[in-house]
C-alpha cells in the first residue's frame, strides 16, 4: 500500500500549510481560473459582459478583443494585447500568458508589486 507522501509525489501534489501569496502564485491562480472559465464556453458571444471580471474585455472592438492579465482586481502593466474576437484566439493568448507566468518568479513581478504598494 503506497503512503500518502508517495501518492502526493506520484501525482505532483505540493502541499502547503498556508497559501502562497506572492504575485506569481496569484497570477497562476488567476490564469488557471480564466482558462477553466473559457473552456466552458461554446462561442465568442459568451465572452461578452458588462464588466471586466475576466482577463478578456467584456466587448470586442472592430473584431478584436483585449486580453489583460490581472490579479488583486488590477491590470498587470505590460501584460495586455488584442487578439481576434474568437474563443480560439483568446484561449491561445491566455495559454501564452500562463506560459510566461510559469517561467517567471516573484522577482519578475517586483515592479508590479511596488506599483501596487505605492497606490495603497
Amino acid at each position: 500500500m503506497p503512503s500518502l507522501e508517495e501518492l502526493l509525489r506520484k501525482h505532483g501534489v505540493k502541499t502547503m500549510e498556508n497559501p502562497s501569496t506572492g504575485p506569481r502564485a496569484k497570477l497562476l491562480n488567476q490564469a488557471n481560473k480564466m482558462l477553466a472559465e473559457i473552456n466552458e464556453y461554446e462561442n465568442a458571444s459568451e465572452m461578452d459582459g458588462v464588466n471586466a471580471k475576466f482577463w478578456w474585455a467584456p466587448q470586442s472592438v472592430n473584431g478584436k478583443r483585449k486580453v489583460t492579465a490581472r490579479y488583486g482586481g488590477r491590470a498587470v502593466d505590460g501584460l495586455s494585447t488584442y487578439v481576434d474576437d474568437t474563443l480560439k484566439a483568446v484561449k491561445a493568448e491566455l495559454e501564452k500568458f500562463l506560459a510566461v507566468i510559469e517561467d517567471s518568479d516573484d522577482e519578475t513581478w517586483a515592479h508590479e508589486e511596488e506599483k501596487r504598494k505605492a497606490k495603497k
Side-chain angles (χ1 to χ4, degrees), residues 26-79:
K26 291 174 187 173
L27 281 162
L28 279 174
N29 183 43
Q30 289 300 309
N32 285 315
K33 282 183 180 179
M34 295 302 109
L35 283 164
E37 177 72 23
I38 206 164
N39 281 331
E40 298 295 316
Y41 294 1
E42 294 181 11
N43 62 63
S45 68
E46 292 179 82
M47 292 187 289
D48 292 346
V50 293
N51 62 27
K53 71 179 193 175
F54 300 117
W55 283 14
W56 50 89
Q59 290 88 31
S60 67
V61 177
N62 299 323
K64 300 286 185 186
R65 188 157 312 240
K66 189 173 187 180
V67 180
T68 304
R70 2 176 135 257
Y71 72 94
R74 295 174 52 194
V76 175
D77 283 349
L79 199 48

Side-chain angles (χ1 to χ4, degrees), residues 69-87:
R70 2 176 135 257
Y71 72 94
R74 295 174 52 194
V76 175
D77 283 349
L79 199 48
S80 179
T81 191
Y82 283 87
V83 297
D84 290 338
D85 185 31
T86 66
L87 280 177

Side-chain angles (χ1 to χ4, degrees), residues 1-11:
M1 194 73 154
S3 71
L4 177 58
E5 286 177 356
E6 290 168 335
L7 289 169
L8 292 172
R9 228 182 354 266
K10 175 183 175 185
H11 294 282

Side-chain angles (χ1 to χ4, degrees), residues 11-26:
H11 294 282
V13 175
K14 293 184 176 121
T15 60
M16 290 186 217
E17 288 299 316
N18 296 306
S20 178
T21 57
R24 180 182 180 272
K26 291 174 187 173

